[in-house]
Amino acid sequence: MNLSHEVEQMVCVAKGPKHGPAPIPQEGQWTKAKEITDSSGQTHGVRWCAPQQGACKLTLHVKEGIIQEALVETIGCSGMTHSAAMAAEILPGKTLLEALNTDLVCDAINTAMRELFLQIVYGRTQTAFSEGGLPIGAGLEDLGKGLRSITGTMYGTSAKGVRYLEMAEGYVTGLVLDEEDHVIGYQFIKMGQMLDAIKGGMDANEALKKFTGTYGRFADAVKVIDPRKQ
């Protein structure tokens, strides 16, 4: 290590107390993280790209500094889905520091990675107080049955009112209206479960019927409209 002339001329003063890092909560333990391998936890975060055209929800599951599981969910820009495909392949197996300094293709994914890095190294994970953490695979629990992202897609105009397109329950096929044309419920298809049933050999029409459900006062409907066509 090179020292400047001014520093070389200084008298050496002994260091007093050795202040170590503050303990942080990690998977039910209070640990003092000194190396990147001292970091563990599962956590989530959402960030967006500079033009704010799209956002990424990133879930990382880290054990001893190495990313063991990654869930990459994107919304907005159409190219982000391809970026997410690459990021989901890139991230597992990398250390947190490697991932932080890796181009994850999309700026929204890169900034999500940055925010999750901060959560993990500061002990702010979702599993900070969960003894032993969670098993690898816990990230899929965010998706529920059918392994589809929980997405809400709604559209409305002052001229024609609201249209529900996608709810937590699934793909909306009908808006239920009362006699005053107020929305009092909706009809939906559980797409992931329906497609799994069809892949398993169930007749498509039977699967459609089985995985179609309703929410709200469907029995009181005066009319049901297709939110994509009416």
Side-chain angles (χ1 to χ4, degrees), residues 170-205:
Y171 180 93
V172 178
T173 56
L175 279 190
V176 180
L177 307 181
D178 64 11
E179 62 278 356
E180 296 180 342
D181 290 335
H182 292 146
V183 178
I184 59 172
Y186 51 88
Q187 187 176 51
F188 59 87
I189 301 172
K190 299 176 182 178
M191 291 293 292
Q193 291 171 265
M194 183 187 75
L195 292 172
D196 283 344
I198 293 172
K199 286 189 294 183
M202 183 180 290
D203 175 74
N205 288 322

Side-chain angles (χ1 to χ4, degrees), residues 3 9 19 21 23-24 26-27 51 70 73 89 105 113 117 127 152 157 165 188 200 204 220:
L3 303 179
Q9 302 306 310
H19 297 288
I24 58 174
Q26 295 192 108
E27 299 191 338
E73 300 172 87
E89 186 172 359
V105 189
M113 178 65 226
F117 176 87
T127 54
T157 62
L165 302 173
F188 59 87
D220 299 331

Side-chain angles (χ1 to χ4, degrees), residues 108-138:
I109 305 174
N110 284 318
T111 52
M113 178 65 226
R114 179 191 69 200
E115 296 306 310
L116 264 63
F117 176 87
L118 294 175
Q119 289 183 32
I120 294 164
V121 298
Y122 285 136
R124 291 344 189 240
T125 68
Q126 301 292 312
T127 54
F129 299 102
S130 300
E131 187 173 359
L134 293 171
I136 304 305

Side-chain angles (χ1 to χ4, degrees), residues 18 38 42 49 53 61 64 68 72 85 90-91 96 107 111 120 125 164-165 177 183 185 188 197 203 208 216:
K18 293 182 169 35
D38 295 330
Q42 180 184 351
C49 59
Q53 291 178 324
H61 199 161
E64 297 180 345
Q68 301 292 345
V72 189
I90 289 167
L91 285 168
L96 274 174
D107 195 36
T111 52
I120 294 164
T125 68
Y164 301 170
L165 302 173
L177 307 181
V183 178
F188 59 87
D203 175 74
L208 178 63

